[in-house]
Amino acid sequence: MQPYLNVLQYYPFLLKGLMFTIEISLIGMVFGTVIGIVSALALLSPFRAVRWLGILYLDVFRSTPVLVQFIWVYYALPVVSGLSLTPIVAASIVLSLYSGSFHTETFRAGILSIGRGQHEAAQALGMRSYKVMFRIILPQATVRMLPTYAGTLITLIKDSALASTISVPELLHQGSTVASYTMSPLAALMVVGVMYFGLTYPVSRGVDALHARLRV
Amino acid sequence: MYHWDWSVIVQFWPLFVAGLIKTVEVVTLTMATALVTGLLVAIARTSKHVVLRQLARWYIEVFRNVPLLLQLYIMYRATPLDSFWAGYVALTLNLTAFLAEVYRSGLTSIGKGQWEGAQSLGMKEGHVLRRIIIPQAVRRVVPPLGTFWVSLFRDSAMVAYIGVAELTHAALQVSIQTYRPFEAFTALAVAYMVLTYPQARLVAWLHEKFRVEE
């Protein structure tokens, strides 16, 4: 018990880490969603060049490890671009682009799952194409995409732990530090594990509930 | 203006190759083990015994909802295992939880009617399983297994941070020794892309081929 009590003395330190984890996850969620919508629309665009850009983005971010994306943006990008990024900015960029690549597939599949008839009916009523998309297609697609979308949020929270490798003081980073201070790695990392679980488990229960409710 | 120097990649080529071999080693060993352990956990998860079922359930929940990097750190820093075995065990425990769910949804997606229909034709239980259930389950299980193979290949990069000398570790070494992070990490990213992309295409093809019409 003693190691755990020692670890818990550092609770303000761990809570600070938890706040950073929540912060970068939220940033990743908001920007990732926007990026996902834009690139899903790009993939469905009538212009070939736009579609290719979308495919390029998707393939790059889905065929490299997130860890490598973190390392590349933080250590390699500043060398060529000349602008040095703070760890938090670098982490936010990576988490947004990375989760955006998952959302892209989700949104595209969701949009395509709405039958052509809906499209044609709305156009027959004289609606403009952006209006068809935002008033008719997306609201219906949203419901179907919700479980997959929420699933990506769990992945996002978990992968935000990789920001520790570029020294963002988030939960895992703080936990590793406490592990060294207290010299009880098991206790410190277990406490961190419980904190992550407290964050992700409710979301994952929500995903299951959504799946069950939306099953047709 | 930045001057490229890609010669460092050529110079350290053997390190990258050794890293790649280690990556393939970790990934195949992990997958081979988790294919079996995942099935065992899936069987426990659908068992009639409440204790077994609940144990399997919480195992799956915990390992799927906690960051993999944390699981790697625990295995490396809190057990006497060396970095390779800590990496292998942690990756396997993690993948087992995901594969258990793949197997379970494969098995439970085959309706009860299939069992009853086959049994009413006088087929024995083992026969039903071999001839009716397993062939249908394979179609539903193989494509997601492929997907998890590809994500394992990518996620294995994390074992670099517990000191396993695989591909990512090699790039980190090169970057430190040559002060050429751009070249080292760009080469690393390209290597992963070149290696993962064909695998991902193959898995997409599997999904298409085994598509189940409901």
Side-chain angles (χ1 to χ4, degrees):
Chain A
M1 224 40 233
Q2 194 52 43
Y4 285 88
L5 294 177
N6 288 344
V7 168
L8 288 176
Q9 284 180 344
Y10 289 92
Y11 77 91
F13 201 68
L14 293 173
L15 281 182
K16 194 180 138 224
L18 183 67
M19 292 321 288
F20 272 111
T21 290
I22 294 174
E23 188 185 318
I24 56 177
S25 300
L26 280 179
I27 295 174
M29 182 181 129
V30 172
F31 287 98
T33 305
V34 175
I35 294 169
I37 294 174
V38 172
S39 77
L41 293 177
L43 287 180
L44 299 168
S45 153
F47 303 105
R48 188 185 290 173
V50 177
R51 281 203 305 272
W52 279 359
L53 269 179
I55 291 171
L56 182 69
Y57 159 67
L58 210 58
D59 283 343
V60 167
F61 280 87
R62 301 205 63 175
S63 58
T64 49
V66 213
L67 176 61
V68 173
Q69 294 167 21
F70 272 105
I71 296 175
W72 197 88
V73 169
Y74 189 60
Y75 294 107
L77 184 62
V79 174
V80 274
S81 67
L83 42 103
S84 65
L85 303 168
T86 66
I88 292 189
V89 172
S92 305
I93 292 174
V94 171
L95 289 174
S96 305
L97 287 169
Y98 165 73
S99 67
S101 72
F102 282 90
H103 292 323
T104 304
E105 282 293 33
T106 311
F107 295 160
R108 190 175 70 123
I111 291 169
L112 288 177
S113 77
I114 307 299
R116 271 217 71 74
Q118 298 281 329
H119 229 276
E120 286 159 4
Q123 277 177 333
L125 289 173
M127 291 174 91
R128 289 174 186 280
S129 62
Y130 76 89
K131 221 173 174 189
V132 176
M133 184 54 81
F134 285 95
R135 299 292 294 275
I136 308 292
I137 307 294
L138 282 179
Q140 297 184 71
T142 305
V143 178
R144 299 188 185 186
M145 301 179 308
L146 223 46
T148 322
Y149 177 83
T152 301
L153 296 185
I154 301 173
T155 311
L156 175 65
I157 297 171
K158 284 191 294 170
D159 285 335
S160 75
L162 293 169
S164 64
T165 61
I166 59 168
S167 60
V168 173
E170 51 68 74
L171 187 50
L172 182 55
H173 188 270
Q174 301 293 84
S176 302
T177 311
V178 173
S180 307
Y181 282 168
T182 58
M183 291 196 286
S184 29
L186 184 64
L189 295 173
M190 282 294 188
V191 169
V192 166
V194 170
M195 290 169 82
Y196 271 111
F197 193 73
L199 211 54
T200 49
Y201 186 65
V203 186
S204 110
R205 297 303 308 158
V207 173
D208 289 346
L210 279 174
H211 269 297
R213 256 189 106 160
L214 297 175
R215 183 162 295 154
V216 265
Chain B
M1 189 58 203
Y2 182 71
H3 294 282
W4 322 88
D5 183 10
W6 295 100
S7 69
V8 295
I9 306 302
V10 182
Q11 191 191 335
F12 284 89
W13 189 249
L15 197 63
F16 281 106
V17 173
L20 175 60
I21 292 172
K22 190 63 89 182
T23 292
V24 173
E25 213 175 291
V26 176
V27 170
T28 18
L29 207 56
T30 298
M31 193 69 185
T33 317
L35 280 175
V36 180
T37 50
L39 186 58
L40 294 179
V41 174
I43 292 169
R45 178 75 181 82
T46 48
S47 132
K48 291 188 192 78
H49 302 279
V50 185
V51 179
L52 207 56
R53 206 167 59 222
Q54 287 300 321
L55 271 177
R57 182 180 154 220
W58 284 104
Y59 171 81
I60 294 169
E61 294 287 9
V62 167
F63 280 83
R64 288 204 316 169
N65 281 302
V66 167
L68 176 57
L69 190 58
L70 173 69
Q71 298 175 29
L72 285 163
Y73 283 172
I74 291 178
M75 204 51 75
Y76 182 60
R77 294 179 68 174
T79 72
L81 295 174
D82 72 5
S83 53
F84 181 85
W85 289 104
Y88 160 65
V89 172
L91 284 177
T92 304
L93 289 174
N94 183 258
L95 187 62
T96 297
F98 284 95
L99 295 195
E101 283 299 86
V102 171
Y103 284 122
R104 183 171 74 107
S105 64
L107 288 171
T108 54
S109 67
I110 316 292
K112 252 184 112 67
Q114 298 283 329
W115 273 99
E116 290 162 357
Q119 279 176 330
S120 72
L121 289 173
M123 290 172 89
K124 293 218 169 62
E125 200 163 303
H127 205 193
V128 179
L129 198 64
R130 268 203 318 282
R131 300 296 294 276
I132 309 292
I133 305 299
I134 290 179
Q136 294 189 72
V138 164
R139 296 182 70 85
R140 293 162 203 255
V141 165
V142 168
L145 287 182
T147 305
F148 278 106
W149 163 269
V150 176
S151 40
L152 171 66
F153 193 87
R154 279 183 280 126
D155 289 343
S156 71
M158 287 181 216
V159 300
Y161 276 85
I162 59 168
V164 180
E166 46 68 81
L167 194 54
T168 304
H169 193 268
L172 287 163
Q173 291 306 309
V174 172
S175 161
I176 293 166
Q177 289 183 27
T178 62
Y179 299 106
R180 289 265 165 202
F182 181 79
E183 284 82 349
F185 297 136
T186 304
L188 177 67
V190 170
Y192 272 111
M193 256 186 275
V194 170
L195 293 164
T196 314
Y197 188 74
Q199 299 181 44
R201 299 307 312 163
L202 187 69
V203 171
W205 174 79
L206 274 177
H207 274 278
E208 200 52 45
K209 183 171 146 64
F210 285 161
R211 180 194 292 280
V212 179
E213 303 289 345
E214 300 288 347

